[in-house]
Amino acid sequence: MSRRSAHDTVFERQRPAAAAVEQALAGARRSAFWLDDIALSRTRFETLRHTIDADLVIVGGGYTGLWSALRALERRPDARVVVLEAGRVGWAASGRNGGFCEASITHGDENGESRWPEELQTLRRLGDENLDAIEETVARYGMQCDFERTGTLTVAVEPHQVDWVRGDGFLVAAAVRAEVMSPTYLAGAWNKRSTVLVHPAKLAAELARVVTELGGKIFEGSRVVDLGSVGRGAGRLDSGVSGASGASGGSGGGVASGASVAPGGGVAVRTASGGTVRAAHAILATNVFPSLLKRNRGMTVPVYDYALMTEPLSDAQMASIGWANRQGIADLANQFHYYRLSADNRILFGGYDAVYHFGSKVRPSYEERAASFSTLASHLLTTFPQLLGIRFSNAWAGPIDTSTRFCAFFGTARQNRVAYAAGFTGLGVGASRFAADVVLDLLSGQQTERTQLRMVRERPLPFPPEPAASIGINLTRWSLDRADHRGGRRNLLLRSLDAVGLGFDS
Ligand SMILES: Cc1cc2nc3c(=O)[nH]c(=O)nc-3n(C[C@H](O)[C@H](O)[C@H](O)COP(=O)(O)OP(=O)(O)OC[C@H]3O[C@@H](n4cnc5c(N)ncnc54)[C@H](O)[C@@H]3O)c2cc1C
């Protein structure tokens, strides 16, 4: 029998039987539901084995790389844009996330306000405009990605969280339970515009479709192993793009201001598959994976996040929960859960555990963690006891692209021929489009509202080397869990981290 303490959370106080959890998980495939769901319709792109010239080469075929390609082609339709992806388009975080596409580009207002208070209004506006632009783009190209602008329902599941949701859209317990029936809800707030839900893998696949329809070229199985420079006059770098202006729909000039190519040479990226792309400019969109720029190693660390997907709910099961307005839901703990419905009424239930492994490696073996899957299954049954007997079809994990400022950072290298964006810290579905515009602005060499932001100009602190990184991250995680079990009270470590801008509060 487990010991109960005054500091237990609702998930411990109302824990379901271990056998029910085990039964629910029996038979769950260890694969991301979203990627399985599109397996039959997914386009396969060829591998690059020869040398080609381009105006812009993009390394990484997740949202950041694909949005960069799409925006580059919208800005300058005649640009030669090439995307090189090591695996398959969208196989990594972009194809396996929760699908919460949020307006915030700063990982929430609190994080933005604590770092760039004087810019917060601008950052909020740019985030809102970015989300509206995503909606408009999805509609304009007819992108089939189960797009639903249903907002986020933030729920308080412990008494100390109730005050945290007071404000716009506040719902008392009865009102929040009328939206979605969970006995754990004590209060809530529904922000109706700030979040769009998408099918993440379909979004990546549809971005790839649009990129190719606009004339971009995508190569899969084409891992870039070297980022070099080519001098002036090499290849066709100084032809075709000189003097091109062609900006369309962006404040930052051409694709990457092609006019700067002729005098200065460009970049040459080499792939493990034997291909080379010589281009005027490169964008690095490799996120949590090792950067091709030494200076960026250590700027992000992979922290593993876990998710489950249920079988589709029956009409009776849906009726027992309500959820007619199909909001995305998140609770307010430091170790929080996020959950939502799929188009066919499955529940995706993710979050809570966040696991860092010594050495900052991205390894498929880290995705298997039975304890985390059991915890999530147990917490879903606490949240919705009326679903007892439900089964999970999928269980998976992926590395969160964590940076010390909890939102993306940006920069350029190699005399402004290379730009990069990474470190979305688990909130990159929407922000990756904003990041694409930032890196294109930076490559254009022109000042824009985006490039003048402190948020864009400032570089975050790197993570310390091991063993300090794992000691620091794991102590922080332990402290956050402890705070959740102690009425939200933050210990000395968390208060000190808060004071220097390194404290995490979801
Ligand atoms: C489980 C999970 C749940 C999440 N839930 C949410 C959510 O609900 N909402 C939200 O906003 N965010 C969420 N995120 C975060 C979000 O998915 C990411 O921030 C976003 O997908 C980042 O996109 P990206 O293109 O930068 O990175 P990725 O999708 O990781 O793409 C990077 C790509 O670069 C490729 N690459 C790396 N190195 C090379 C190389 N040398 N050569 C060629 N290609 C290379 C990789 O193969 C990969 O495809 C979640 C993440 C995880 C893991």
Side-chain angles (χ1 to χ4, degrees), residues 269-415:
V269 300
R270 222 164 26 82
T271 70
S273 55
T276 298
V277 183
R278 298 179 298 193
H281 290 106
I283 288 174
L284 306 182
T286 55
N287 208 26
V288 79
F289 297 92
S291 177
L292 291 159
L293 293 173
K294 259 208 194 100
R295 73 170 76 159
N296 281 353
R297 309 224 173 110
M299 296 301 288
T300 59
V301 296
V303 175
Y304 277 77
D305 184 37
Y306 299 83
L308 300 175
M309 187 69 107
T310 68
E311 298 284 2
L313 270 58
S314 66
D315 290 348
Q317 285 171 321
M318 280 301 292
S320 73
I321 299 184
W323 214 342
N325 289 313
R326 303 178 59 82
Q327 306 93 333
I329 302 179
D331 65 47
L332 279 164
N334 292 304
Q335 305 228 85
F336 68 101
H337 306 87
Y338 56 89
Y339 41 113
R340 55 160 296 182
L341 293 167
S342 65
D344 60 350
N345 287 343
R346 298 162 186 268
I347 298 176
L348 176 145
F349 199 80
Y352 196 75
D353 276 345
V355 179
Y356 173 76
H357 295 270
F358 185 96
S360 279
K361 298 275 187 302
V362 176
R363 291 206 173 122
S365 59
Y366 294 158
E367 294 172 24
E368 174 52 43
R369 195 162 190 276
S372 295
F373 295 135
S374 292
T375 301
L376 281 176
S378 171
H379 292 186
L380 177 127
L381 291 175
T382 297
T383 305
F384 298 126
Q386 62 272 51
L387 294 185
L388 193 69
I390 196 152
R391 286 181 176 275
F392 294 99
S393 62
N394 295 74
W396 72 94
I400 294 284
D401 40 3
T402 308
S403 76
T404 58
R405 71 184 205 184
F406 314 120
C407 60
F409 60 92
F410 315 89
T412 60
R414 313 274 169 97
Q415 289 90 45

Side-chain angles (χ1 to χ4, degrees), residues 36-268:
D36 285 3
D37 197 39
I38 64 159
L40 296 178
S41 59
R42 207 167 164 195
T43 303
R44 193 176 274 283
F45 297 94
E46 66 176 301
T47 295
L48 184 69
R49 303 190 193 283
H50 53 286
T51 297
I52 52 173
D53 292 331
D55 298 313
L56 175 65
V57 59
I58 296 166
V59 185
Y63 297 143
T64 306
L66 295 168
W67 275 117
S68 297
L70 191 153
R71 294 293 297 132
L73 288 158
E74 285 184 339
R75 289 176 179 212
R76 215 190 102 196
D78 68 336
R80 296 166 300 165
V81 175
V82 173
V83 179
L84 299 176
E85 165 53 45
R88 308 262 328 253
V89 160
W91 76 273
S94 297
R96 63 180 69 195
N97 60 72
F100 285 62
C101 182
E102 305 215 350
S104 177
I105 52 176
T106 56
H107 207 294
D109 279 352
E110 241 179 271
N111 190 44
E113 187 164 22
S114 70
R115 292 170 201 284
W116 308 288
E118 76 291 354
E119 272 176 8
L120 185 68
Q121 289 315 319
T122 308
L123 293 168
R124 286 179 74 157
R125 173 176 54 76
L126 290 171
D128 289 344
E129 286 171 5
N130 183 58
L131 191 61
D132 289 344
I134 291 174
E135 181 165 21
E136 186 273 324
T137 305
V138 164
R140 183 154 41 93
Y141 295 113
M143 294 164 69
Q144 304 294 313
C145 59
D146 300 350
F147 188 97
E148 298 184 77
R149 195 153 186 171
T150 50
T152 306
L153 188 63
T154 307
V155 293
V157 295
E158 299 294 339
H160 70 265
Q161 295 170 3
V162 173
D163 275 345
W164 298 349
V165 283
R166 283 191 207 283
D168 285 353
F170 180 74
L171 301 170
V172 296
V176 69
R177 290 180 194 189
E179 283 297 326
V180 181
M181 180 49 223
S182 168
T184 65
Y185 297 167
L186 305 178
W190 180 11
N191 186 327
K192 297 185 179 173
R193 295 290 297 166
S194 63
T195 303
V196 164
L197 295 179
V198 294
H199 184 307
K202 284 187 184 172
L203 175 61
E206 285 289 78
L207 285 170
R209 171 181 69 78
V210 174
V211 166
T212 53
E213 285 175 8
L214 293 178
K217 286 207 163 59
I218 298 176
F219 295 94
E220 294 184 327
S222 305
R223 175 182 303 282
V224 173
V225 288
D226 185 59
L227 171 67
S229 301
V230 283
R232 78 180 61 191
R236 289 178 50 230
L237 280 175
D238 55 355
S239 65
V241 290
S242 290
S245 59
S248 68
S251 46
V255 51
S257 188
S260 66
V261 174
V267 295

